Every structure is written in structure tokens, then in C-alpha cells.
Amino acid sequence: MAQASQATIGNSEFDRDTAVVRRAEGVYDIDLSAGWTIISAVNGGYLLAVLGRALADALPHADPFTISAHYLTASRPGPAVVRTDVVRTGRSLSTGQASLLQRDEHGQEVERIRVIASYGDLDTLPDDVRTTAKPPAIPPIEQCFGPEDGPAPVPGSSAITDRLMLKLDPSTLGWALGAPSGKGEMRAWFGLKDGRDADPLSLLLAVDALPPTAFELGISGWVPTVELTVHVRCRPAPGPLRVSVATRNLAGGFLEEDAEVWDSADRLVAQSRQLARVRLG
Amino acid sequence: MAQASQATIGNSEFDRDTAVVRRAEGVYDIDLSAGWTIISAVNGGYLLAVLGRALADALPHADPFTISAHYLTASRPGPAVVRTDVVRTGRSLSTGQASLLQRDEHGQEVERIRVIASYGDLDTLPDDVRTTAKPPAIPPIEQCFGPEDGPAPVPGSSAITDRLMLKLDPSTLGWALGAPSGKGEMRAWFGLKDGRDADPLSLLLAVDALPPTAFELGISGWVPTVELTVHVRCRPAPGPLRVSVATRNLAGGFLEEDAEVWDSADRLVAQSRQLARVRLG
């Protein structure tokens, strides 16, 4: 009866933890869950999914086609408010802005993240595909490794790892064995541990869920995101996703991380790029 | 005396045409030049440079580290206003938002573009470089082709081509000869025709100045930008730039364009990604 315990879209931990409650026109309350933290930080992809969900309610279109987030201050688990603003509504695309805010120890509202996004309806897009990109070369899921496999190949397990099915390609795991490849690549099978299938909102989580590519470049410090933009290109098919992340340019204390997300039907369903700071330890 | 006629940063047509006049705190006027149009559209990179210049004035930091623009409606040459908003100021980074607006035929303000950007000071960054990316393989400038070379290998010459030094790699010019490669790549040497060297603002122009990669995918229609994000990573050295643009995913009526800009010192000075619509002709 394993099937019966599977969570579905709309009825999973991810859905409960990203649920926003409309307080007034364009204003939403949420209690940020501690379940999506890594070390002490709330995962940036989880936060983006929260903002994305508020905008899906505020805008006449439901799917984020392109969403750009600038991370201002570190979010904490607990109460937060999302304030949205409809910038423009069109027939096929609408654009909105959103801010995530929390109160500091003095009760002052502090902005955590600001976002601009253009939304549409993925189901109305034509079927044409002329993608020249190929899915990432990644071994079968049984030959990949997660935090639960053996003597902690992935160190620093924390809350979020309990919620993700994350199986890393062994060829991008050199860092965990003290031998980073120097290549700046990270690849993994990705899903939600409760079995919920992927949708456009969970793709916002998928692009920022792997260990930093900086680890494979021999850097073990903290890599906070400055800006993250995600393009959702297709509604993902059921089944596990493959996520491939690459850094081409680590320089001047910053790096970019480009992610591609492929679904079980071999379609490139999302692309993202982030600019992150390198905090040497 | 050719050297004496060279324009310099701050004293060139690009500087005059992006100059914003501060009307009030955070509010800037500009007359958008018809000199940066292609067919009837004002170039998106030129518009981004205008917004970037207003934000450089409004924020305590001068250099755009990451700037994300959502293009809402088509800009026209003529008067426009830029309204900026300081989102957060920090020691090493500050974040701002800006909107470009124009009046329609009824005198109503219409928003053209909305931007969020994080600014810093490129000159304070450490010298570490661990870039794994290599400069694009592109023939010497003398072996590349621009609109002025022979029987119009680049069709549709218009105002912006008079202001750019754009020399395209012949191996990405198949489209101009009726034989697109199908590869979705475009490479060129890039500069300003008046000899002005590159700076962070002109990099915002450089990433969106080549013909669409869609041409090499066999598509000849219009490819309007929905969203464009640029990371400026380094102050460019004097001399011509090399720009390499690639599309991996054309599907569902949209495509992404990733650009890299390399300076004469072989440094990766900017990276960009845009989501554009494919309007089949």
C-alpha cells in the first residue's frame, strides 16, 4: 500500500508550508516553516515558492513564466507577510511584484526579498520544441547518493534534507570525499520525499535545492544568493526530476549558478541563474 | 589624427543618449533617442542602460552587479520618465527598483519596463579568479562581418547599426545566407562606433545588441524580450569586447538567450540571460 501514502499536488507538506492566507487585497500572511532550513538559513527556493504562490493568487495567470528575486536580508522561520502589486495584466502574460517582510526584534518590518515576475498559462503554449540542449548525463537513481546513504557522504544534514528526495551524481560528489573536481558542476535526481509530483511552484524549489557548486570548486564557505531568476518553460510530467547546476565564473567574490531541470519525459522544464556571494570561511 | 576623434567614457553619443535629468528625489527625465532603434523598436539594452544610469544616481553604489528587467510595453523614441525607489542600502550592496514610463496618445502614463537591481562597487572586489569558462572561439575581427561589409550580409540595417561596431563571426551568419546552422549561437566583436571604451553601463547594451539567436534556428520573426537579467562581474578593460550568445531551449513559443561578454584582457565581464517570445512571421 505504498501508493496510498503518496502525497499529491495540493495535499503535501510542501503545499501546506507554502500556503499563504489572504488578509486583504494583495496582502498575504504565512508562517515560514522551519522544515525548509539548511544550517540556520531558510532555503531560497522555498521562499521563492511562497512568493510565487502569493503572486499566482494576486495575478490573473497562475504559472510563473519568469520570476526574478533579489534577496535583501536573511529570512527566519516564523510569521511573514507578502505584499503584492499588480504591475500589468495582459491577455497572455501578466506581471506582478511582491515583497516578503518580517518583523525584527524591535517589531519593525524588514524586507527580506523583492520579486518581479511575469505569469502566464503553461497549458496554452504551443507544442513546438526545438530544444538543442540534451538532458544531463546522470547515472540511474540507484547509483546516486543522498544524505541517508551510508556514512554521511553529504555532511550537514538538516531539516530540508528530510523533505527532499535528493540523489547526487557520484561524479559531482568529490567535495564530500575531500577531493573536489574543480569543475563547478552538481547534478542530482530531485523530488519531494512525500511523493508529491512536481509542478511549476515546486520547480522554484528544485533549482535551489542542490549543494552549492562552489563545493566542487573547493570552497566550503557560505554562498548566500543575491539574485535568483527562474524561467518555467513547461508543466513537468509526473516522476523524479533531474537537476543539473553549473558555475562558469567564480571571480571577485561572486559566482553564478545556472540550473536546468529536466522532467521524466526528457523535457527541459525550467532554467535558472543566480548570482551568489562567496563567503570564505 | 584618428585618435583625437575617439569618444571617451562620459563624452560619447551613448553617454548623451542615456543621460537622465533629475527632476526630483528619485525621479528622472530623459528623451529616448531614435538612434538606438532597430526596425521600429527601441533596443532593450539601450533602455536597460537608461534605467541603470538612473539607479546609479539614486543608489549609494554606482555599478550594477545584477539587474533584472521585465519589459511590459513597447517603448518609443521621445520623452520618458524614470521613477526609482531605494529598496535597501548596505555597506557593500544596495538594491533599488525603477520604472520607465511614457505617456500614450491620451496623455496617460504607461509603464514600459520595471527593474530591480543590486548595485555595488566593482573596484572594491578582490582579484581572485577561478573562472572555468573559456573565451569564445571567434576569428580575428578582420575576418568577421558587419552591416557595412559588402552586399548586406546583415539585413535590415537601421539606426542602431550606425552606432555600433558589430562584427559577426561568419560561422554564425548562415541565416544571412539562407542557411541557418540550427545551432542557436551568435558571436561577435562589439564596440561603440565612436570609439568609446566599454564600462558597466555599456555592457548592459552589449548583451542585447546581436541579431537574435533565433535567426540561426531558422526563425525570421520578431523576438521581443519578456525579461532580461544581467550580471556585471568586472570593469571591462579598454578595447573591443567579444560577445557570445546561445539558446539551448526554444519551446512553447519562448526561448532563452544567454550572453557572455569577454573583454580584451580575456576576462568574463558580464553574463546575461533573457526570456523572449517567438513571434512567428
Side-chain angles (χ1 to χ4, degrees), chain B residues 147-191:
Chain B
E148 65 283 359
D149 296 311
V154 183
S157 84
S158 61
I160 194 171
T161 63
D162 297 335
R163 282 156 187 82
L164 302 181
M165 186 287 290
L166 195 63
K167 292 285 190 181
L168 290 156
D169 181 340
S171 72
T172 64
L173 267 175
W175 57 276
L177 307 168
S181 69
K183 279 191 189 163
E185 297 176 1
M186 200 67 70
R187 288 182 293 275
W189 292 91
F190 174 90

mmCIF file of all heavy atoms in Angstrom, chain B residues 147-191:
data_model
loop_
_atom_site.group_PDB
_atom_site.id
_atom_site.type_symbol
_atom_site.label_atom_id
_atom_site.label_comp_id
_atom_site.label_asym_id
_atom_site.label_seq_id
_atom_site.Cartn_x
_atom_site.Cartn_y
_atom_site.Cartn_z
ATOM 1 N N PRO B 147 27.305 45.082 -40.943
ATOM 2 C CA PRO B 147 26.332 45.530 -41.951
ATOM 3 C C PRO B 147 27.007 46.271 -43.101
ATOM 4 O O PRO B 147 26.490 46.291 -44.215
ATOM 5 C CB PRO B 147 25.412 46.478 -41.176
ATOM 6 C CG PRO B 147 25.675 46.224 -39.738
ATOM 7 C CD PRO B 147 27.026 45.601 -39.612
ATOM 8 N N GLU B 148 28.154 46.887 -42.831
ATOM 9 C CA GLU B 148 28.809 47.709 -43.853
ATOM 10 C C GLU B 148 29.672 46.893 -44.815
ATOM 11 O O GLU B 148 30.211 47.435 -45.769
ATOM 12 C CB GLU B 148 29.675 48.777 -43.170
ATOM 13 C CG GLU B 148 30.856 48.249 -42.369
ATOM 14 C CD GLU B 148 30.470 47.660 -41.013
ATOM 15 O OE1 GLU B 148 29.269 47.669 -40.675
ATOM 16 O OE2 GLU B 148 31.357 47.169 -40.300
ATOM 17 N N ASP B 149 29.786 45.594 -44.539
ATOM 18 C CA ASP B 149 30.679 44.765 -45.348
ATOM 19 C C ASP B 149 29.943 44.142 -46.520
ATOM 20 O O ASP B 149 29.207 43.169 -46.351
ATOM 21 C CB ASP B 149 31.309 43.655 -44.511
ATOM 22 C CG ASP B 149 32.213 44.200 -43.421
ATOM 23 O OD1 ASP B 149 33.053 45.052 -43.739
ATOM 24 O OD2 ASP B 149 32.046 43.801 -42.255
ATOM 25 N N GLY B 150 30.155 44.711 -47.688
ATOM 26 C CA GLY B 150 29.654 44.087 -48.908
ATOM 27 C C GLY B 150 28.152 44.091 -49.020
ATOM 28 O O GLY B 150 27.469 44.925 -48.413
ATOM 29 N N PRO B 151 27.619 43.124 -49.786
ATOM 30 C CA PRO B 151 26.193 43.156 -50.128
ATOM 31 C C PRO B 151 25.301 42.734 -48.966
ATOM 32 O O PRO B 151 24.724 41.653 -48.982
ATOM 33 C CB PRO B 151 26.100 42.170 -51.300
ATOM 34 C CG PRO B 151 27.267 41.241 -51.107
ATOM 35 C CD PRO B 151 28.327 41.992 -50.367
ATOM 36 N N ALA B 152 25.238 43.623 -47.973
ATOM 37 C CA ALA B 152 24.305 43.468 -46.849
ATOM 38 C C ALA B 152 24.199 42.056 -46.309
ATOM 39 O O ALA B 152 23.147 41.440 -46.383
ATOM 40 C CB ALA B 152 22.918 43.989 -47.224
ATOM 41 N N PRO B 153 25.295 41.492 -45.759
ATOM 42 C CA PRO B 153 25.144 40.172 -45.123
ATOM 43 C C PRO B 153 24.221 40.238 -43.903
ATOM 44 O O PRO B 153 23.608 39.251 -43.546
ATOM 45 C CB PRO B 153 26.568 39.814 -44.705
ATOM 46 C CG PRO B 153 27.310 41.105 -44.649
ATOM 47 C CD PRO B 153 26.659 42.012 -45.635
ATOM 48 N N VAL B 154 24.122 41.416 -43.291
ATOM 49 C CA VAL B 154 23.193 41.597 -42.169
ATOM 50 C C VAL B 154 22.056 42.488 -42.645
ATOM 51 O O VAL B 154 22.228 43.690 -42.801
ATOM 52 C CB VAL B 154 23.908 42.256 -40.962
ATOM 53 C CG1 VAL B 154 22.960 42.369 -39.790
ATOM 54 C CG2 VAL B 154 25.149 41.459 -40.578
ATOM 55 N N PRO B 155 20.903 41.896 -42.906
ATOM 56 C CA PRO B 155 19.798 42.685 -43.467
ATOM 57 C C PRO B 155 19.152 43.599 -42.433
ATOM 58 O O PRO B 155 19.420 43.483 -41.240
ATOM 59 C CB PRO B 155 18.809 41.619 -43.924
ATOM 60 C CG PRO B 155 19.065 40.449 -43.031
ATOM 61 C CD PRO B 155 20.511 40.504 -42.635
ATOM 62 N N GLY B 156 18.300 44.485 -42.917
ATOM 63 C CA GLY B 156 17.521 45.341 -42.025
ATOM 64 C C GLY B 156 18.359 46.349 -41.270
ATOM 65 O O GLY B 156 18.160 46.560 -40.092
ATOM 66 N N SER B 157 19.320 46.954 -41.943
ATOM 67 C CA SER B 157 20.121 47.958 -41.247
ATOM 68 C C SER B 157 19.197 49.070 -40.781
ATOM 69 O O SER B 157 18.222 49.416 -41.435
ATOM 70 C CB SER B 157 21.204 48.509 -42.163
ATOM 71 O OG SER B 157 20.702 49.544 -42.960
ATOM 72 N N SER B 158 19.489 49.598 -39.591
ATOM 73 C CA SER B 158 18.662 50.681 -39.071
ATOM 74 C C SER B 158 19.530 51.501 -38.134
ATOM 75 O O SER B 158 20.734 51.289 -38.034
ATOM 76 C CB SER B 158 17.427 50.112 -38.392
ATOM 77 O OG SER B 158 17.819 49.297 -37.317
ATOM 78 N N ALA B 159 18.920 52.432 -37.429
ATOM 79 C CA ALA B 159 19.697 53.450 -36.712
ATOM 80 C C ALA B 159 20.778 52.867 -35.809
ATOM 81 O O ALA B 159 21.913 53.354 -35.792
ATOM 82 C CB ALA B 159 18.745 54.324 -35.906
ATOM 83 N N ILE B 160 20.467 51.843 -35.044
ATOM 84 C CA ILE B 160 21.426 51.363 -34.046
ATOM 85 C C ILE B 160 22.707 50.851 -34.708
ATOM 86 O O ILE B 160 23.800 50.996 -34.139
ATOM 87 C CB ILE B 160 20.798 50.278 -33.123
ATOM 88 C CG1 ILE B 160 21.688 50.047 -31.895
ATOM 89 C CG2 ILE B 160 20.512 48.987 -33.869
ATOM 90 C CD1 ILE B 160 21.053 49.174 -30.823
ATOM 91 N N THR B 161 22.597 50.300 -35.917
ATOM 92 C CA THR B 161 23.796 49.751 -36.557
ATOM 93 C C THR B 161 24.805 50.857 -36.894
ATOM 94 O O THR B 161 25.990 50.583 -37.021
ATOM 95 C CB THR B 161 23.444 48.949 -37.830
ATOM 96 O OG1 THR B 161 22.853 49.837 -38.774
ATOM 97 C CG2 THR B 161 22.490 47.813 -37.525
ATOM 98 N N ASP B 162 24.322 52.093 -37.026
ATOM 99 C CA ASP B 162 25.259 53.195 -37.275
ATOM 100 C C ASP B 162 26.068 53.538 -36.030
ATOM 101 O O ASP B 162 27.078 54.238 -36.116
ATOM 102 C CB ASP B 162 24.504 54.462 -37.705
ATOM 103 C CG ASP B 162 23.773 54.258 -39.017
ATOM 104 O OD1 ASP B 162 24.208 53.388 -39.804
ATOM 105 O OD2 ASP B 162 22.765 54.961 -39.241
ATOM 106 N N ARG B 163 25.612 53.111 -34.868
ATOM 107 C CA ARG B 163 26.262 53.483 -33.608
ATOM 108 C C ARG B 163 27.117 52.371 -33.023
ATOM 109 O O ARG B 163 27.827 52.586 -32.054
ATOM 110 C CB ARG B 163 25.194 53.918 -32.591
ATOM 111 C CG ARG B 163 24.721 55.316 -32.888
ATOM 112 C CD ARG B 163 23.366 55.682 -32.381
ATOM 113 N NE ARG B 163 23.038 56.993 -32.925
ATOM 114 C CZ ARG B 163 22.549 57.196 -34.150
ATOM 115 N NH1 ARG B 163 22.309 56.185 -34.962
ATOM 116 N NH2 ARG B 163 22.322 58.431 -34.571
ATOM 117 N N LEU B 164 27.003 51.181 -33.609
ATOM 118 C CA LEU B 164 27.733 50.035 -33.063
ATOM 119 C C LEU B 164 28.846 49.596 -34.003
ATOM 120 O O LEU B 164 28.699 49.654 -35.221
ATOM 121 C CB LEU B 164 26.784 48.848 -32.852
ATOM 122 C CG LEU B 164 25.580 49.074 -31.948
ATOM 123 C CD1 LEU B 164 24.777 47.776 -31.833
ATOM 124 C CD2 LEU B 164 26.005 49.568 -30.569
ATOM 125 N N MET B 165 29.929 49.127 -33.398
ATOM 126 C CA MET B 165 30.929 48.359 -34.128
ATOM 127 C C MET B 165 30.563 46.907 -33.830
ATOM 128 O O MET B 165 30.769 46.419 -32.720
ATOM 129 C CB MET B 165 32.318 48.700 -33.612
ATOM 130 C CG MET B 165 33.470 48.060 -34.398
ATOM 131 S SD MET B 165 33.672 46.282 -34.141
ATOM 132 C CE MET B 165 34.279 46.265 -32.449
ATOM 133 N N LEU B 166 29.920 46.275 -34.801
ATOM 134 C CA LEU B 166 29.447 44.902 -34.605
ATOM 135 C C LEU B 166 29.968 44.060 -35.755
ATOM 136 O O LEU B 166 29.617 44.281 -36.918
ATOM 137 C CB LEU B 166 27.911 44.897 -34.588
ATOM 138 C CG LEU B 166 27.217 43.656 -34.049
ATOM 139 C CD1 LEU B 166 27.560 43.425 -32.579
ATOM 140 C CD2 LEU B 166 25.705 43.804 -34.199
ATOM 141 N N LYS B 167 30.849 43.123 -35.432
ATOM 142 C CA LYS B 167 31.464 42.279 -36.465
ATOM 143 C C LYS B 167 31.149 40.830 -36.113
ATOM 144 O O LYS B 167 31.659 40.290 -35.125
ATOM 145 C CB LYS B 167 32.977 42.494 -36.490
ATOM 146 C CG LYS B 167 33.379 43.884 -36.985
ATOM 147 C CD LYS B 167 33.220 43.987 -38.501
ATOM 148 C CE LYS B 167 33.858 45.283 -39.020
ATOM 149 N NZ LYS B 167 33.669 45.386 -40.508
ATOM 150 N N LEU B 168 30.282 40.208 -36.925
ATOM 151 C CA LEU B 168 29.766 38.877 -36.610
ATOM 152 C C LEU B 168 30.691 37.771 -37.112
ATOM 153 O O LEU B 168 31.219 37.836 -38.233
ATOM 154 C CB LEU B 168 28.376 38.718 -37.219
ATOM 155 C CG LEU B 168 27.302 39.573 -36.529
ATOM 156 C CD1 LEU B 168 26.142 39.851 -37.474
ATOM 157 C CD2 LEU B 168 26.784 38.858 -35.285
ATOM 158 N N ASP B 169 30.838 36.770 -36.280
ATOM 159 C CA ASP B 169 31.572 35.553 -36.632
ATOM 160 C C ASP B 169 30.884 34.915 -37.839
ATOM 161 O O ASP B 169 29.691 34.597 -37.784
ATOM 162 C CB ASP B 169 31.521 34.607 -35.423
ATOM 163 C CG ASP B 169 32.265 33.308 -35.635
ATOM 164 O OD1 ASP B 169 32.523 32.930 -36.793
ATOM 165 O OD2 ASP B 169 32.574 32.653 -34.621
ATOM 166 N N PRO B 170 31.616 34.712 -38.945
ATOM 167 C CA PRO B 170 30.967 34.138 -40.145
ATOM 168 C C PRO B 170 30.282 32.801 -39.871
ATOM 169 O O PRO B 170 29.293 32.480 -40.525
ATOM 170 C CB PRO B 170 32.119 33.973 -41.146
ATOM 171 C CG PRO B 170 33.323 34.551 -40.527
ATOM 172 C CD PRO B 170 33.029 35.016 -39.144
ATOM 173 N N SER B 171 30.785 32.047 -38.885
ATOM 174 C CA SER B 171 30.171 30.730 -38.648
ATOM 175 C C SER B 171 28.811 30.849 -37.979
ATOM 176 O O SER B 171 28.110 29.848 -37.814
ATOM 177 C CB SER B 171 31.107 29.836 -37.825
ATOM 178 O OG SER B 171 31.159 30.282 -36.488
ATOM 179 N N THR B 172 28.413 32.068 -37.567
ATOM 180 C CA THR B 172 27.054 32.264 -37.031
ATOM 181 C C THR B 172 26.232 33.159 -37.969
ATOM 182 O O THR B 172 25.241 33.761 -37.553
ATOM 183 C CB THR B 172 27.084 32.873 -35.616
ATOM 184 O OG1 THR B 172 27.648 34.190 -35.652
ATOM 185 C CG2 THR B 172 27.907 32.016 -34.666
ATOM 186 N N LEU B 173 26.665 33.239 -39.214
ATOM 187 C CA LEU B 173 25.987 34.102 -40.193
ATOM 188 C C LEU B 173 25.225 33.310 -41.251
ATOM 189 O O LEU B 173 24.789 33.887 -42.252
ATOM 190 C CB LEU B 173 27.004 35.012 -40.881
ATOM 191 C CG LEU B 173 27.199 36.390 -40.249
ATOM 192 C CD1 LEU B 173 28.321 37.139 -40.943
ATOM 193 C CD2 LEU B 173 25.910 37.200 -40.301
ATOM 194 N N GLY B 174 25.062 31.999 -41.023
ATOM 195 C CA GLY B 174 24.343 31.186 -42.005
ATOM 196 C C GLY B 174 22.975 31.741 -42.339
ATOM 197 O O GLY B 174 22.552 31.742 -43.498
ATOM 198 N N TRP B 175 22.288 32.236 -41.343
ATOM 199 C CA TRP B 175 20.939 32.787 -41.536
ATOM 200 C C TRP B 175 20.916 33.880 -42.602
ATOM 201 O O TRP B 175 19.959 34.007 -43.352
ATOM 202 C CB TRP B 175 20.382 33.330 -40.219
ATOM 203 C CG TRP B 175 21.271 34.375 -39.591
ATOM 204 C CD1 TRP B 175 22.357 34.135 -38.799
ATOM 205 C CD2 TRP B 175 21.173 35.789 -39.719
ATOM 206 N NE1 TRP B 175 22.940 35.316 -38.425
ATOM 207 C CE2 TRP B 175 22.226 36.357 -38.961
ATOM 208 C CE3 TRP B 175 20.283 36.644 -40.375
ATOM 209 C CZ2 TRP B 175 22.428 37.738 -38.861
ATOM 210 C CZ3 TRP B 175 20.467 38.025 -40.273
ATOM 211 C CH2 TRP B 175 21.539 38.559 -39.521
ATOM 212 N N ALA B 176 21.991 34.692 -42.659
ATOM 213 C CA ALA B 176 22.016 35.809 -43.610
ATOM 214 C C ALA B 176 22.181 35.315 -45.039
ATOM 215 O O ALA B 176 21.933 36.052 -45.989
ATOM 216 C CB ALA B 176 23.130 36.783 -43.251
ATOM 217 N N LEU B 177 22.608 34.069 -45.164
ATOM 218 C CA LEU B 177 22.809 33.473 -46.494
ATOM 219 C C LEU B 177 21.736 32.441 -46.787
ATOM 220 O O LEU B 177 21.846 31.639 -47.711
ATOM 221 C CB LEU B 177 24.194 32.811 -46.558
ATOM 222 C CG LEU B 177 25.358 33.724 -46.147
ATOM 223 C CD1 LEU B 177 26.640 32.934 -45.957
ATOM 224 C CD2 LEU B 177 25.556 34.817 -47.201
ATOM 225 N N GLY B 178 20.687 32.436 -45.966
ATOM 226 C CA GLY B 178 19.589 31.486 -46.193
ATOM 227 C C GLY B 178 19.900 30.085 -45.711
ATOM 228 O O GLY B 178 19.191 29.147 -46.041
ATOM 229 N N ALA B 179 20.953 29.924 -44.914
ATOM 230 C CA ALA B 179 21.333 28.587 -44.437
ATOM 231 C C ALA B 179 21.632 28.613 -42.944
ATOM 232 O O ALA B 179 22.784 28.459 -42.529
ATOM 233 C CB ALA B 179 22.544 28.086 -45.219
ATOM 234 N N PRO B 180 20.598 28.833 -42.131
ATOM 235 C CA PRO B 180 20.834 28.866 -40.671
ATOM 236 C C PRO B 180 21.410 27.533 -40.196
ATOM 237 O O PRO B 180 21.052 26.479 -40.711
ATOM 238 C CB PRO B 180 19.444 29.113 -40.090
ATOM 239 C CG PRO B 180 18.475 28.786 -41.174
ATOM 240 C CD PRO B 180 19.184 29.017 -42.469
ATOM 241 N N SER B 181 22.316 27.617 -39.230
ATOM 242 C CA SER B 181 23.038 26.429 -38.767
ATOM 243 C C SER B 181 22.166 25.498 -37.934
ATOM 244 O O SER B 181 22.497 24.343 -37.746
ATOM 245 C CB SER B 181 24.232 26.855 -37.919
ATOM 246 O OG SER B 181 23.767 27.409 -36.692
ATOM 247 N N GLY B 182 21.072 26.031 -37.364
ATOM 248 C CA GLY B 182 20.262 25.248 -36.442
ATOM 249 C C GLY B 182 20.848 25.170 -35.042
ATOM 250 O O GLY B 182 20.312 24.498 -34.174
ATOM 251 N N LYS B 183 21.941 25.889 -34.822
ATOM 252 C CA LYS B 183 22.644 25.779 -33.545
ATOM 253 C C LYS B 183 22.228 26.795 -32.486
ATOM 254 O O LYS B 183 22.586 26.641 -31.316
ATOM 255 C CB LYS B 183 24.150 25.923 -33.780
ATOM 256 C CG LYS B 183 24.815 24.655 -34.257
ATOM 257 C CD LYS B 183 26.323 24.836 -34.205
ATOM 258 C CE LYS B 183 27.040 23.683 -34.882
ATOM 259 N NZ LYS B 183 28.427 24.005 -35.189
ATOM 260 N N GLY B 184 21.564 27.856 -32.848
ATOM 261 C CA GLY B 184 21.165 28.853 -31.849
ATOM 262 C C GLY B 184 22.326 29.577 -31.211
ATOM 263 O O GLY B 184 22.294 29.885 -30.019
ATOM 264 N N GLU B 185 23.362 29.854 -31.998
ATOM 265 C CA GLU B 185 24.520 30.591 -31.475
ATOM 266 C C GLU B 185 24.767 31.835 -32.304
ATOM 267 O O GLU B 185 24.515 31.849 -33.505
ATOM 268 C CB GLU B 185 25.778 29.708 -31.525
ATOM 269 C CG GLU B 185 25.683 28.473 -30.658
ATOM 270 C CD GLU B 185 26.901 27.557 -30.805
ATOM 271 O OE1 GLU B 185 27.826 27.902 -31.564
ATOM 272 O OE2 GLU B 185 26.902 26.494 -30.159
ATOM 273 N N MET B 186 25.265 32.880 -31.633
ATOM 274 C CA MET B 186 25.613 34.120 -32.321
ATOM 275 C C MET B 186 26.833 34.676 -31.603
ATOM 276 O O MET B 186 26.861 34.713 -30.370
ATOM 277 C CB MET B 186 24.429 35.087 -32.206
ATOM 278 C CG MET B 186 24.366 36.209 -33.198
ATOM 279 S SD MET B 186 24.071 35.698 -34.928
ATOM 280 C CE MET B 186 22.366 35.125 -34.877
ATOM 281 N N ARG B 187 27.853 35.025 -32.360
ATOM 282 C CA ARG B 187 29.075 35.568 -31.752
ATOM 283 C C ARG B 187 29.524 36.797 -32.520
ATOM 284 O O ARG B 187 29.395 36.831 -33.759
ATOM 285 C CB ARG B 187 30.203 34.529 -31.774
ATOM 286 C CG ARG B 187 30.015 33.376 -30.803
ATOM 287 C CD ARG B 187 31.170 32.406 -30.831
ATOM 288 N NE ARG B 187 31.265 31.693 -32.091
ATOM 289 C CZ ARG B 187 30.578 30.579 -32.376
ATOM 290 N NH1 ARG B 187 29.759 30.058 -31.474
ATOM 291 N NH2 ARG B 187 30.706 29.997 -33.550
ATOM 292 N N ALA B 188 30.073 37.767 -31.804
ATOM 293 C CA ALA B 188 30.509 38.992 -32.474
ATOM 294 C C ALA B 188 31.545 39.743 -31.655
ATOM 295 O O ALA B 188 31.603 39.605 -30.420
ATOM 296 C CB ALA B 188 29.308 39.905 -32.741
ATOM 297 N N TRP B 189 32.344 40.525 -32.356
ATOM 298 C CA TRP B 189 33.114 41.596 -31.736
ATOM 299 C C TRP B 189 32.164 42.779 -31.577
ATOM 300 O O TRP B 189 31.374 43.070 -32.475
ATOM 301 C CB TRP B 189 34.292 41.991 -32.636
ATOM 302 C CG TRP B 189 35.338 40.935 -32.766
ATOM 303 C CD1 TRP B 189 35.400 39.958 -33.710
ATOM 304 C CD2 TRP B 189 36.482 40.761 -31.920
ATOM 305 N NE1 TRP B 189 36.519 39.177 -33.508
ATOM 306 C CE2 TRP B 189 37.200 39.648 -32.419
ATOM 307 C CE3 TRP B 189 36.975 41.427 -30.794
ATOM 308 C CZ2 TRP B 189 38.382 39.193 -31.839
ATOM 309 C CZ3 TRP B 189 38.150 40.969 -30.215
ATOM 310 C CH2 TRP B 189 38.839 39.867 -30.728
ATOM 311 N N PHE B 190 32.281 43.467 -30.444
ATOM 312 C CA PHE B 190 31.335 44.553 -30.155
ATOM 313 C C PHE B 190 32.062 45.778 -29.611
ATOM 314 O O PHE B 190 32.963 45.664 -28.777
ATOM 315 C CB PHE B 190 30.325 44.084 -29.098
ATOM 316 C CG PHE B 190 29.393 45.172 -28.619
ATOM 317 C CD1 PHE B 190 28.191 45.402 -29.262
ATOM 318 C CD2 PHE B 190 29.738 45.990 -27.538
ATOM 319 C CE1 PHE B 190 27.340 46.413 -28.831
ATOM 320 C CE2 PHE B 190 28.891 47.004 -27.111
ATOM 321 C CZ PHE B 190 27.686 47.215 -27.764
ATOM 322 N N GLY B 191 31.658 46.931 -30.087
ATOM 323 C CA GLY B 191 32.130 48.191 -29.517
ATOM 324 C C GLY B 191 31.174 49.299 -29.907
ATOM 325 O O GLY B 191 30.178 49.062 -30.599
#
